[in-house]
Amino acid sequence: MNFTEFNFEPSLQSSIESMGYENATPIQEKAIPIILAGKDLIACAQTGTGKTAAFLLPILHKLSLTPSDFTNTLIVVPTRELALQIDQALQGFTYFSGISTMAIYGGSDGMVFQKEKKAFLEGTNIIIATPGRLIAHLNMGYVKLPHLKHFILDEADRMLDMGFFEDITKIITHIPKDRQSLMFSATMPHKIRTLANQLLKNPEEISLSISKPAAGITQSAYLVFDHQKNKLIKHILSQKEYSSVIIFVSTKIKVKTLEVELQRERFKAKAIHSDLEQSEREEVLRNFKNKSLQILVATDILSRGIDIEDIGLVINYDIPNDAEDYVHRIGRTARAESKGEAITFINDFKQFKFLDIENLIGYEVNKLPLPEKLGVAPTYNPKKIVEKPFTKRYGKR
Ligand code: AMP
């Protein structure tokens, strides 16, 4: 479906064309008419589907027809990176219009806080905010949003994983009941339904079936004990020259430890985690995108939603909790028909999780033998749930 069929306001249509968009993606084709009709929406769609434009374009169309001096739209997102990414897309789409936008995601600088405060006081049309920073402003008492017409929650599942449920509930108390609400989520666990019941009124539902891994991805896995993982990474990286590698790790602490370990071995590796300043995170991502940095070590939370293509190798250092996340993670490689590799480390007590993944994708992933120099691997028995030893879970007492 061509964008001209939506009959968008001419200046918006011009900016769509100048961004090089011609045809709507499936999520855009489904969501845009629903949003234009003023209905609430819950949509299951992951990053890379074009979901950002799916919600921005109809809202911008409405705003172009009835310009406003007030905050009309509030978009709440889990991470600063996503806030910035949406703001960048908005800047492209509003290039020919007078619509004002602002990303509010914090930082320690007092000047930035004042600038954000001003955005609220001046009625910036579209505000994109992370929950913590938004609440900091709400708590100060000057944020009044009586003219708010649209409330959007993006990456809702990630938001709940990060513990923002109560923050969202609180934010809702500050915005008008009579509004259009849209919720986007890559996965649809039960807790998302609960949140949707609180936020949305008679929502329309869109679910794009979860994509299977692209055929160009060579998937394999190793059975390993945790203490063998770092040596295995070094072994893999020494076998072949990969230009861009993402290593997904489950926790911030492990991300930092692995970064140090890889740097000690003289790999060009950097970690991205929430303790970094915004400017530091941006620099890491910039260097990774322009290939001066070879290896990015990251948690799901920060890497999700970041638009990086051409990854040669994805390593799942830890198995993701959600089977669908496996598909999202390895989908970062082999984009646009290219070839890529995905290697997963399966430790002894997460074997049953990997079976969930294989059930979701519908086939078994090739298990490679552990190099002999690394010692004996765990045996594979995914139906047996192995408990993590107490001392490992809680540390020695
Ligand atoms: P998103 O899923 O919103 O993160 O979008 C993923 C990427 O697709 C972004 O780089 C967008 O600029 C791009 N994109 C979104 N919609 C279209 C479209 N209809 N045609 C071409 N590119 C698009």
Side-chain angles (χ1 to χ4, degrees):
M1 182 174 178
N2 193 283
F3 274 106
T4 49
E5 294 177 52
F6 291 118
N7 286 324
F8 284 135
E9 187 275 331
S11 73
L12 180 59
Q13 181 59 35
S14 304
S15 60
I16 292 170
E17 282 163 21
S18 69
M19 304 257 305
Y21 295 10
E22 218 174 288
N23 294 312
T25 64
I27 181 80
Q28 291 163 356
E29 209 173 307
K30 289 188 173 150
I32 290 172
I34 295 171
I35 302 173
L36 285 175
K39 293 178 184 157
D40 281 9
L41 171 69
I42 177 166
C44 188
Q46 61 206 66
T47 296
T49 54
K51 67 182 168 64
T52 314
F55 64 77
L56 291 181
L57 295 176
I59 285 172
L60 290 169
H61 170 75
K62 292 195 238 179
L63 251 171
S64 305
L65 295 182
T66 47
S68 156
D69 290 331
F70 303 104
T71 299
N72 166 287
T73 298
L74 178 63
I75 305 170
V76 179
V77 299
T79 62
R80 300 162 173 201
E81 281 71 21
L82 189 57
L84 263 175
Q85 213 164 284
I86 294 175
D87 195 37
Q88 276 162 9
L90 267 175
Q91 283 173 21
F93 292 133
T94 57
Y95 191 76
F96 300 108
S97 76
I99 293 168
S100 54
T101 72
M102 175 93 179
I104 287 179
Y105 50 80
S108 46
D109 185 345
M111 294 277 285
V112 175
F113 198 88
Q114 288 308 317
K115 218 171 121 197
E116 294 175 352
K117 177 179 173 183
K118 202 160 157 243
F120 282 112
L121 295 177
E122 289 180 347
T124 297
N125 294 145
I126 301 180
I127 289 184
I128 313 121
T130 52
R133 187 62 159 203
L134 177 56
I135 290 203
H137 284 285
L138 290 171
N139 286 343
M140 305 291 280
Y142 46 74
V143 180
K144 304 276 181 271
L145 300 167
H147 302 281
L148 196 87
K149 298 274 186 289
H150 311 108
F151 176 71
I152 298 148
L153 207 59
D154 195 13
E155 300 208 343
D157 50 351
R158 214 47 33 191
M159 207 100 80
L160 296 192
D161 285 350
M162 291 171 77
F164 286 138
F165 186 89
E166 287 188 0
D167 285 356
I168 296 163
T169 314
K170 184 165 182 191
I171 291 165
I172 300 302
T173 63
H174 288 264
I175 60 174
K177 284 200 172 64
D178 189 16
R179 59 168 195 263
Q180 184 178 16
S181 305
L182 315 172
M183 209 167 121
F184 288 79
S185 188
T187 55
M188 217 35 87
H190 183 70
K191 56 192 182 179
I192 288 289
R193 300 262 162 210
T194 313
L195 184 65
N197 286 340
Q198 287 190 16
L199 283 186
L200 311 172
K201 275 190 228 133
N202 303 322
E204 295 278 329
E205 240 182 279
I206 300 176
S207 179
L208 295 184
S209 58
I210 163 112
S211 50
K212 300 274 177 198
I217 310 176
T218 310
Q219 300 173 61
S220 56
Y222 286 96
L223 300 163
V224 280
F225 290 108
D226 278 343
H227 71 269
Q228 295 168 319
K229 286 181 174 177
N230 287 0
K231 287 197 186 109
L232 183 54
I233 291 212
K234 286 174 220 160
H235 169 79
I236 292 168
L237 295 175
S238 66
Q239 296 297 300
K240 198 167 146 187
E241 183 68 26
Y242 294 97
S243 66
S244 294
V245 180
I246 295 192
I247 305 177
F248 286 106
V249 180
S250 60
T251 65
K252 186 164 73 182
I253 294 170
K254 284 210 245 171
V255 163
K256 291 184 190 175
T257 315
L258 184 58
E259 177 189 34
V260 173
E261 183 80 13
L262 289 170
Q263 287 175 347
R264 202 166 35 215
E265 297 289 325
R266 307 253 175 262
F267 286 109
K268 280 195 216 156
K270 280 265 180 205
I272 179 158
H273 50 76
S274 53
D275 287 351
L276 293 180
E277 290 290 327
Q278 179 64 17
S279 56
E280 292 173 310
R281 290 195 217 172
E282 281 169 26
E283 194 188 341
V284 173
L285 287 175
R286 207 168 36 244
N287 290 338
F288 189 61
K289 278 186 194 181
N290 69 25
K291 310 241 185 268
S292 57
L293 175 68
Q294 184 202 7
I295 304 169
L296 184 70
V297 187
T299 58
D300 273 324
I301 286 170
L302 279 183
S303 59
R304 181 81 154 268
I306 294 170
D307 202 12
I308 304 175
E309 301 197 354
D310 292 334
I311 311 290
L313 171 65
V314 169
I315 296 180
N316 292 312
Y317 186 92
D318 296 308
I319 293 187
N321 268 329
D322 250 338
E324 287 182 16
D325 276 339
Y326 174 81
V327 181
H328 299 156
R329 284 182 182 186
I330 72 168
R332 302 215 160 265
T333 174
R335 288 226 175 157
E337 314 290 305
S338 66
K339 299 261 178 247
E341 270 183 65
I343 302 176
T344 302
F345 294 178
I346 311 172
N347 71 8
D348 41 336
F349 45 88
K350 284 286 174 75
Q351 293 187 353
F352 67 102
K353 284 258 175 211
F354 199 70
L355 189 61
D356 283 350
I357 291 169
E358 294 184 317
N359 286 336
L360 176 80
I361 60 178
Y363 50 83
E364 255 185 59
V365 172
N366 187 24
K367 317 281 179 318
L368 301 173
L370 199 64
E372 257 177 40
K373 61 182 179 193
L374 268 66
V376 181
T379 44
Y380 193 47
N381 187 2
K383 299 226 165 100
K384 182 170 170 233
I385 296 185
V386 179
E387 276 289 320
K388 208 171 179 181
F390 183 81
T391 48
K392 280 200 184 145
R393 261 184 295 167
Y394 303 107
K396 287 206 168 74
R397 300 213 161 169

